[in-house]
Amino acid sequence: MKTFLLFLICLSNSLIGQRSHSETAVQIKNNGLEELYAFEMLKDLTGNIGNRLSGSKNYDKAVEWGKLILEKAGADSVWLEPVMIPHWVRGNEQAFLSLLDKRKIELSVCALGGSIGTAKNGVSAEVIEVKSFEEVKQLGRKAKGKIIFYNRPFDRTNWSPFQAYGGAVNQRTNGAIEAAKVGAIAVLVRSITPAMDDEPHTGAMRYADSIPQIPAVAISTVDAEMLSMELHKHNVSSVHILLSCKTYPDVASFNVIGEICGAEKPEEIVLVGGHLDSWDKGTGAHDDGSGVVQSVEVIRLIKNLKIHPKRTIRAVLFANEENGLKGGRAYAARESNKKEKHIAAIESDAGGTSPRGFGVSSDSLKVEKIKSYSSLLEIVGAEKINKGGGGADISTLESLGTTMIGLNPDPQRYFDYHHSNNDTIDKVHPRELELGAIAMAILAWAISQDGL
Ligand SMILES: [Zn+2]
């Protein structure tokens, strides 16, 4: 009888616990959807500051903005964490296609992030189209003095644009290295997007120490198709590329951090975050303005309800995800020396569209525990929990044993906008953006109460 009574007490406690989680979840949802404040913040960030490339004046402004907006959201404490970040400046960029039929066509291009510039008058050369590094290798001496044109498109048959991106992006990141190995003088890279548009999509590229550095530009998918067609007609004379981009010495900057201090176990941290920097195209509305304002909104929603998490909920707006990951690395390096324990980190860096769920990188027990919150997340359509996921910034916390969680929004349109002038606020829907913030707040709240 005694055991049975104890069982009943435990059962009712756990039911009350569950009920209080779901009551809180509904309150968070109602408050978020009533106010749609994440979108107000995103309007402010993209409208008054714009894009935020590492090392730029706009990034400095974004740091000030981040500090103020976290204070306004009601964070118990807000601080700036110093970090050295790269400083690459785009400058002028131009490319022309000269055809044997005497036409000269301006190509829609932009320098890839980190590229060196060309000589003052640019470079001109014949163009060779390839779809893989294997083809580049096979070119051997034929590539000497030429421009290599990488034109492998997104695999449209893949349901997941993120996987398709993964299958195409090495042309952008490593294309210059592979082309320089066989003596090419520059690379043109088909924009890494499934969209057929006339905007070049930028992104990070790299060089290798022992290989000559050559200029690298992205070309719009429309112009990539056109160039490919002219090459197949044997109508191309040459392409001329002029870039004045340049890398300057690293500059001192900051991650921006704000938190709600845990009432019972303040040293245990549930992190929510996104990256404050963006490329210098569009206004970085989806990438990653969305993740930034959603992380701040988590703090605001919980403070608004006047509820106190048992563990600390901390929002981190990371510096320099796009071309260095210096913010994430500096954060993890400092944390490894502290007594704090990051039990979970939730990153939003996949756009501000409707949330579908979360991807979780941890042991099976913890993945199952997160899966048990599906019923709470259902109210915003974010109940799908998959094993595997996270984000670039929080990947630095892996060695600290942190459970890494990535918000998974609907992925179909993200790469249409990604790293291009198309990434602007008009592509973000206020309700969809808010639903993502609400999903993050519900999950962060549940973990902060129950531990992991
Ligand atoms: Zn991003």
Side-chain angles (χ1 to χ4, degrees):
M1 185 63 185
K2 222 174 167 184
T3 329
F4 183 64
L5 267 179
L6 203 64
F7 171 72
L8 277 183
I9 291 166
C10 287
L11 185 70
S12 64
N13 276 349
S14 85
L15 284 178
I16 289 165
Q18 270 308 312
R19 193 168 66 233
S20 91
H21 273 355
S22 26
E23 277 172 5
T24 307
V26 169
Q27 283 179 333
I28 290 173
K29 170 184 72 81
N30 291 350
N31 190 269
L33 288 179
E34 189 67 47
E35 299 189 3
L36 298 178
Y37 196 70
F39 193 75
E40 293 306 310
M41 291 190 273
L42 191 62
K43 265 198 320 206
D44 189 20
L45 176 65
T46 56
N48 290 322
I49 297 174
N51 59 44
R52 310 166 292 283
L53 185 62
S54 288
S56 67
K57 286 218 162 60
N58 272 10
Y59 185 77
D60 290 344
K61 284 187 202 163
V63 167
E64 286 308 309
W65 175 90
K67 187 166 175 283
L68 286 175
I69 205 85
L70 275 162
E71 284 164 358
K72 212 173 150 196
D76 298 333
S77 45
V78 178
W79 68 98
L80 302 181
E81 180 176 65
V83 51
M84 294 299 290
I85 57 175
H87 184 200
W88 174 83
V89 176
R90 178 172 298 283
N92 298 321
E93 46 201 12
Q94 247 185 351
F96 286 96
L97 166 63
S98 297
L99 295 171
L100 293 173
D101 63 17
K102 302 289 177 227
R103 281 181 299 150
K104 199 172 165 193
I105 301 172
E106 181 163 8
L107 298 172
S108 180
V109 298
C110 73
L112 291 177
S115 175
I116 59 163
T118 59
K120 213 172 169 195
N121 298 323
V123 291
S124 287
E126 285 175 38
V127 177
I128 303 177
E129 177 178 343
V130 296
K131 294 232 163 46
S132 68
F133 291 159
E134 199 45 49
E135 280 179 60
V136 175
K137 237 183 249 166
Q138 278 164 13
L139 285 173
R141 280 191 190 160
K142 274 189 243 162
K144 199 168 166 52
K146 306 279 174 28
I147 294 172
I148 297 293
F149 166 39
Y150 289 100
N151 194 28
R152 183 169 82 252
F154 248 59
D155 175 6
R156 291 192 188 184
T157 63
N158 196 324
W159 176 85
S160 163
F162 280 85
Q163 282 175 13
Y165 180 77
V169 76
N170 69 343
Q171 300 173 97
R172 190 191 78 207
T173 51
N174 287 21
I177 297 174
E178 295 305 316
K181 279 183 191 168
V182 289
I185 57 162
V187 293
L188 272 170
V189 182
R190 181 192 179 99
S191 290
I192 313 298
T193 174
M196 191 49 63
D197 65 27
D198 208 17
E199 286 293 340
H201 295 234
T202 192
M205 56 81 62
R206 50 178 173 250
Y207 294 117
D209 281 346
S210 52
I211 315 283
Q213 300 188 348
I214 58 173
V217 295
I219 177 169
S220 75
T221 46
V222 163
D223 277 355
E225 292 285 304
M226 185 269 293
L227 175 59
S228 178
M229 191 185 71
E230 296 296 346
L231 283 165
H232 282 97
K233 287 196 290 191
H234 302 286
N235 189 28
V236 175
S237 165
S238 65
V239 164
H240 180 80
I241 300 172
L242 189 146
L243 299 180
S244 66
C245 46
K246 202 174 163 189
T247 298
Y248 294 87
D250 286 1
V251 297
S253 194
F254 302 97
N255 292 325
V256 185
I257 304 172
E259 69 180 25
I260 307 172
C261 192
E264 289 177 20
K265 295 186 171 179
E267 73 288 355
E268 290 195 13
I269 314 285
V270 179
L271 182 152
V272 290
H275 62 87
L276 190 54
D277 68 309
S278 74
W279 282 108
D280 55 344
K281 291 279 173 189
T283 54
H286 275 290
D287 187 12
D288 187 23
S290 293
V292 164
V293 298
Q294 286 171 330
S295 301
V296 178
E297 181 70 346
V298 169
I299 301 285
R300 196 192 72 91
L301 286 168
I302 289 170
K303 279 308 242 186
N304 249 7
L305 295 185
K306 302 199 166 28
I307 49 180
H308 305 285
K310 287 184 186 168
R311 294 168 180 79
T312 294
I313 297 178
R314 176 181 294 172
V316 182
L317 316 182
F318 290 97
N320 183 231
E321 188 271 349
E322 295 290 5
N323 55 341
L325 209 64
K326 294 279 173 64
R329 292 208 179 104
Y331 182 82
R334 260 184 209 111
E335 286 307 317
S336 62
N337 296 323
K338 287 190 188 167
K339 282 205 186 97
E340 293 170 349
K341 178 163 175 49
H342 283 66
I343 59 169
I346 307 170
E347 179 155 0
S348 167
D349 185 18
T353 52
S354 285
R356 299 295 186 223
F358 293 89
V360 184
S361 292
S362 196
D363 60 57
S364 323
L365 265 180
K366 287 180 179 140
V367 174
E368 286 309 310
K369 177 103 184 258
I370 303 291
K371 275 189 181 165
S372 75
Y373 296 131
S374 277
S375 54
L376 297 173
L377 295 163
E378 226 167 23
I379 58 169
V380 287
E383 68 277 8
K384 205 172 166 200
I385 309 293
N386 299 322
K387 193 170 165 54
D393 297 295
I394 61 169
S395 67
T396 56
L397 295 169
E398 189 172 15
S399 59
L400 305 183
T402 305
T403 291
M404 297 173 297
I405 305 172
L407 175 68
N408 287 337
D410 184 281
Q412 297 305 330
R413 286 166 286 156
Y414 182 61
F415 290 102
D416 294 6
Y417 317 133
H418 191 247
H419 297 180
S420 80
N421 283 332
N422 294 331
D423 189 2
T424 47
I425 185 104
D426 53 306
K427 315 302 188 312
V428 182
H429 190 282
R431 279 177 64 85
E432 293 186 4
L433 179 71
E434 189 70 34
L435 289 168
I438 294 166
M440 289 168 73
I442 292 172
L443 185 57
W445 173 260
I447 298 172
S448 75
Q449 296 310 95
D450 300 344
L452 196 63

